[in-house]
C-alpha cells in the first residue's frame, strides 16, 4: 500500500510540473494515472482533484473541470478542511461562470468569500471579491446580448448586475492597495474600466484604463499594455475624441506587431481604418483596411474578409471611386453568400443598388464595365487610377453617416412614410445592428407585417388538426350485451402495468443519491475511511446545509437551460475583427444624432 501511495504522489508531482510548464494535456495524463494508481492519503487526493479541475478548465473541458472541483469540494468538507473548502468553492464558481450558470457560480464564490473572511485570509478574500465581480460582469453581458442596447442604455437588470460587479471590483482594488499587490491592482483597474465603459461612464473608464496602462508598463506586460491602449481608444471614440483614439490604436498596432499576434494586428488595422473614416481621412482608412484584408485572407477569416471589403467599398465611395467600390461590394456579396450571412447579403445588395444609381449604369452592362476596369492599374493603396467614367463627389458634399447601412435604412423608412415608391423593404444594417454585447438581430417590422398572415395560417392549421383528431378517435363498437374488456385483455393490461411499474422502480433507484465516492481512494481501509468520513460529515458539517440548499435553489432554475434554443444567428465569429465591434455602434449613434438635429417642418411664430 505504501508503494502505491508513493507512486501516486510521484505521478501527481510530474503532472503538476507539466501543467506549470504549459503542457496541460500531458499533465492531465499523469494526474489520471495517479488516480488509477490510487492512494489512501486524502490530502494528496484533494490536491490531485484540484489540479485536474484546473487543467481541464485550461483545456476548455468545463464538464470534467466541474466534476473534479466538486470532488475536491466534497472531500474538503468531509475532512473538515475549511481552507480547502474555500479554494474548491472558488474554483467551482469560476467553472460554473464560464458555463453560464451564473447564480450557482455566485453562491460558490460567496461561500469562498465567507470562509476567507472567517479564517482571516486576506489573499483569499481578495480573490473571492475579484471572482464575484467577474460573475456579475459576465451575467450582465450575457443578459445584455439579448437586446439591442448601447453602452449606458441597458435595462435595469443589466445595469444592476454591472453595478454589483463594480462594487466587488472596488472592494478588491481597495484590499489589493492595502496589501500593495500592484499586479492585482492592475487587473482590478482593467475590469473596472471595462464595466464603466458598458455603463456609459466613459470618462471614468478612461481613468481606470490609464491606471491599468501605468501598472502594465511597470511590469513590462506587453499584452496587458496592448489591451489598455485598445480599451482607451474605444472609450475616446465614444467621447468623440477621434485623434486621441487613433493614437491609442496605432500604439496597439505596434505592440501587436512586437508580440507577433497577427489576429490582433488585423483588429488594430480594422479599428484604425474605421477611426480614419470618422476623421474623413479616407485614403488612410483605405490603407489600414487593405492591411486588414490581407491578414484576414492569410488567416482564412472569411467573416473578417467580408467586413474589410464592406469597409473598403464605403471608403472608395466617399472618394467618388464608384467602380472600385463596386468591385468590393460584389466581393462582399460573394463572401456573404459563401458563409450564409443573410444580413451581409442584404447590405451588399443595397450597396450595389446605390452604386448602380451613382454610376447611372443599367444592370445588363454593369458586369461588362466592371470587367473592362479590371485592366486598369492600382496605386500602392489599391485605388483605381484610370476610371474615365467615374463621377467624383467632393469630400465636402460626402457625409460619412450617409454611407452607413443604418443611415440608408433610416432614409428608406422616411421615404416609405412619405409614400415614395421603389424602396427596398429588406434594408437591414450589416454591422450597425451589433451592439458591443449583441450577436443577433430582431426585425420588429417583420413581426408586425406578418401578424395577419400568421393568424390565418394557424387558424387553417387548427382546423386541419381537429379533423385529424376526429379520424384517430376509437369507435365503441360491439353489441349491447357485449363486455368491453375480455378476461384475456384484462390479463394483458395487468402485465403491461406491471412492466411500467418495474421501469418506474428502476428509474427511482437510478435517481437515488449515492454516498460520496472518491475516484483514486484506494486500499483495504477504503470502506472504513468512507464510513468514517460519512459519520464525520453528518456530525460536524450539519450547520453547512444552508450552502447546499442555496445551490439546490439555483439548480431548480436550470430547468430553463434545458428549453430548446432559438435558431442560431447567421453571424459568425470574425478572428480579425474586435469582439466588441463598436464602430458600427458609433455609426448608429451618429445617425440618431443626425435625426435629432433635423429641423421640423413647422412655421415659426412671433411672440
Amino acid at each position: 500500500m505504501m508503494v502505491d501511495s508513493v507512486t501516486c504522489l510521484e505521478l501527481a508531482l510530474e503532472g503538476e510540473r507539466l501543467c506549470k510548464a504549459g503542457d496541460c494535456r500531458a499533465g492531465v495524463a499523469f494526474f489520471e494515472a495517479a488516480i488509477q494508481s490510487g492512494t489512501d492519503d486524502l490530502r494528496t487526493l484533494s490536491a490531485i482533484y484540484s489540479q485536474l479541475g484546473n487543467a481541464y478548465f485550461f483545456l476548455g473541458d468545463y464538464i470534467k473541470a466541474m466534476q473534479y472541483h466538486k470532488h475536491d469540494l466534497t472531500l474538503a468538507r468531509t475532512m473538515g478542511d475549511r481552507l480547502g473548502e474555500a479554494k474548491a468553492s472558488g474554483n467551482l464558481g469560476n467553472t460554473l461562470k464560464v458555463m453560464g450558470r451564473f447564480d450557482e457560480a455566485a453562491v460558490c464564490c460567496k461561500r469562498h468569500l465567507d470562509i476567507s473572511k472567517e479564517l482571516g485570509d486576506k489573499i483569499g478574500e481578495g480573490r473571492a471579491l475579484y471572482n464575484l465581480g467577474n460573475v456579475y460582469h459576465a451575467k450582465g453581458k450575457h443578459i445584455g446580448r439579448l437586446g439591442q442596447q448601447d453602452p449606458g442604455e441597458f435595462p435595469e437588470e443589466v445595469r444592476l448586475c454591472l453595478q454589483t460587479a463594480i462594487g466587488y471590483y472596488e472592494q478588491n482594488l481597495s484590499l489589493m492597495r492595502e496589501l500593495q499587490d500592484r499586479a492585482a491592482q492592475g487587473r482590478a483597474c482593467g475590469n473596472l474600466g471595462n464595466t464603466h465603459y458598458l455603463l456609459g461612464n466613459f470618462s471614468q473608464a478612461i481613468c481606470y484604463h490609464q491606471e491599468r496602462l501605468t501598472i502594465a508598463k511597470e511590469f513590462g506586460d506587453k499584452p496587458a499594455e496592448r489591451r489598455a491602449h485598445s480599451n482607451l481608444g474605444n472609450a475616446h471614440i465614444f467621447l468623440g475624441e477621434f485623434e486621441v483614439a487613433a493614437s491609442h490604436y496605432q500604439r496597439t498596432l505596434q505592440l501587436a506587431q512586437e508580440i507577433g499576434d497577427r489576429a490582433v494586428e488585423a483588429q488594430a488595422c480594422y479599428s484604425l481604418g474605421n477611426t480614419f473614416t470618422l476623421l474623413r481621412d479616407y485614403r488612410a482608412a483605405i490603407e489600414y483596411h487593405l492591411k486588414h484584408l490581407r491578414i484576414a485572407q492569410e488567416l482564412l477569416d472569411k467573416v473578417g474578409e467580408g467586413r474589410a471589403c464592406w469597409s473598403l467599398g464605403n471608403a472608395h465611395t466617399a472618394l467618388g471611386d464608384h467602380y472600385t467600390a463596386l468591385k468590393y461590394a460584389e466581393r462582399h456579396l460573394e463572401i456573404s453568400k459563401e458563409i450564409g450571412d443573410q444580413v451581409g447579403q442584404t447590405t451588399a445588395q443595397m450597396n450595389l443598388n446605390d452604386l448602380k444609381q451613382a454610376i447611372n449604369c443599367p444592370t445588363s452592362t454593369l458586369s461588362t464595365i466592371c470587367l473592362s476596369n479590371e485592366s486598369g492599374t492600382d496605386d500602392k493603396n489599391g485605388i483605381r487610377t484610370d476610371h474615365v467614367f467615374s463621377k467624383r463627389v467632393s469630400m465636402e458634399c460626402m457625409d460619412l453617416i450617409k454611407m452607413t447601412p443604418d443611415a440608408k435604412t433610416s432614409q428608406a423608412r422616411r421615404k416609405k412614410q412619405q409614400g415614395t415608391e421603389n424602396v427596398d423593404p429588406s434594408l437591414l444594417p450589416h454591422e450597425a445592428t451589433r451592439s458591443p454585447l449583441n450577436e443577433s438581430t430582431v426585425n420588429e417590422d417583420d413581426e408586425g407585417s406578418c401578424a395577419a398572415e400568421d393568424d390565418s395560417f394557424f387558424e387553417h392549421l387548427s382546423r386541419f388538426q381537429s379533423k385529424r383528431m376526429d379520424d384517430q378517435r376509437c369507435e365503441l363498437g360491439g353489441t349491447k350485451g357485449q363486455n368491453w374488456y375480455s378476461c384475456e385483455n384484462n390479463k394483458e393490461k395487468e402485465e403491461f402495468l406491471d412492466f411500467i411499474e418495474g421501469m418506474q422502480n428502476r428509474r427511482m433507484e437510478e435517481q437515488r443519491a449515492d454516498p460520496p465516492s472518491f475516484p483514486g481512494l484506494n486500499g483495504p481501509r477504503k470502506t472504513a475511511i468512507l464510513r468514517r468520513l460519512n459519520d464525520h460529515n453528518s456530525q460536524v458539517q450539519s450547520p453547512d446545509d444552508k450552502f447546499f440548499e442555496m445551490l439546490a435553489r439555483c439548480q431548480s432554475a436550470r430547468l430553463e437551460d434545458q428549453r430548446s434554443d432559438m435558431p442560431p444567428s447567421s453571424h459568425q465569429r470574425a478572428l480579425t475583427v474586435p469582439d466588441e465591434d463598436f464602430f458600427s455602434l458609433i455609426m448608429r449613434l451618429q445617425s440618431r444624432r443626425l435625426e435629432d438635429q433635423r429641423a421640423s417642418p413647422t412655421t415659426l411664430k412671433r411672440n
Side-chain angles (χ1 to χ4, degrees), residues 94 97 129-139 165 169 191:
N94 285 335
K97 180 205 73 175
L129 289 168
Y130 183 80
N131 290 337
L132 277 166
N134 287 343
V135 168
Y136 283 100
H137 186 194
K139 182 179 180 180
Y169 285 141
N191 285 339

Side-chain angles (χ1 to χ4, degrees), residues 395-564:
M395 290 176 61
E396 289 77 9
C397 297
M398 197 67 194
D399 193 346
L400 165 70
I401 301 166
K402 294 179 181 178
M403 305 189 315
T404 63
D406 262 321
K408 293 176 179 178
T409 306
S410 301
Q411 293 173 5
R413 287 176 178 171
R414 287 197 301 273
K415 290 179 180 179
K416 188 175 181 180
Q417 292 172 359
Q418 295 172 2
T420 305
E421 298 181 353
N422 299 325
V423 176
D424 187 357
S426 60
L427 292 182
L428 287 174
H430 176 40
E431 299 307 328
T433 55
R434 295 181 58 212
S435 73
L437 299 179
N438 186 42
E439 296 294 338
S440 62
T441 60
V442 178
N443 192 347
E444 297 178 0
D445 294 336
D446 291 343
E447 297 176 3
S449 62
C450 296
E453 183 179 350
D454 289 344
D455 290 342
S456 60
F457 169 73
F458 283 112
E459 185 179 350
H460 173 73
L461 185 63
S462 176
R463 290 197 301 269
F464 179 72
Q465 290 284 7
S466 63
K467 291 179 182 178
R468 291 188 59 190
M469 289 294 292
D470 291 336
D471 295 340
Q472 296 173 12
R473 297 184 189 278
C474 299
E475 296 183 1
L476 297 178
T479 61
K480 181 176 180 180
Q482 187 176 0
N483 292 329
W484 174 247
Y485 291 108
S486 65
C487 295
E488 185 177 353
N489 288 338
N490 286 334
K491 184 178 179 180
E492 292 178 355
K493 180 179 179 182
E494 290 177 1
E495 291 177 354
F496 176 71
L497 292 177
D498 290 340
F499 174 72
I500 292 293
E501 183 180 1
M503 291 181 60
Q504 293 286 0
N505 289 336
R506 285 196 298 272
R507 291 186 62 189
M508 289 294 292
E509 289 296 328
E510 292 172 357
Q511 295 176 12
R512 295 184 188 279
D514 296 327
S517 176
F518 304 108
L521 182 60
N522 220 348
R525 297 185 300 157
K526 177 178 178 180
T527 304
I529 290 173
L530 287 174
R531 187 183 300 111
R532 176 172 58 83
L533 290 175
N534 289 332
D535 294 340
H536 179 77
N537 188 39
S538 61
Q539 294 173 7
V540 179
Q541 300 295 337
S542 56
D544 294 329
D545 289 341
K546 183 170 66 175
F547 169 62
F548 283 100
E549 288 176 7
M550 295 172 65
L551 269 181
R553 286 197 296 270
C554 294
Q555 292 279 2
S556 64
R558 289 182 58 201
L559 284 173
E560 293 297 327
D561 300 338
Q562 299 174 9
R563 300 185 186 276
S564 58

Side-chain angles (χ1 to χ4, degrees), residues 42-43 46 71-88 111 115 118-119 518 529 532-544 548:
L42 300 181
R43 294 195 178 276
S46 176
H71 284 316
D72 187 25
L73 175 60
T74 306
L75 187 57
R77 284 173 56 80
T78 54
M79 290 191 301
D81 181 3
R82 299 288 283 168
L83 182 60
E85 182 182 349
K87 292 180 178 178
R111 182 67 174 172
I115 297 176
E118 174 189 322
L119 299 176
F518 304 108
I529 290 173
R532 176 172 58 83
L533 290 175
N534 289 332
D535 294 340
H536 179 77
N537 188 39
S538 61
Q539 294 173 7
V540 179
Q541 300 295 337
S542 56
D544 294 329
F548 283 100

Side-chain angles (χ1 to χ4, degrees), residues 81-102:
D81 181 3
R82 299 288 283 168
L83 182 60
E85 182 182 349
K87 292 180 178 178
S89 297
N91 289 333
L92 183 58
N94 285 335
T95 307
L96 291 168
K97 180 205 73 175
V98 175
M99 297 173 70
R101 293 158 60 172
F102 303 110

Side-chain angles (χ1 to χ4, degrees), residues 28-43:
V28 163
F30 275 91
F31 282 129
E32 294 283 6
I35 286 181
Q36 291 295 325
S37 176
T39 181
D40 59 356
D41 187 342
L42 300 181
R43 294 195 178 276

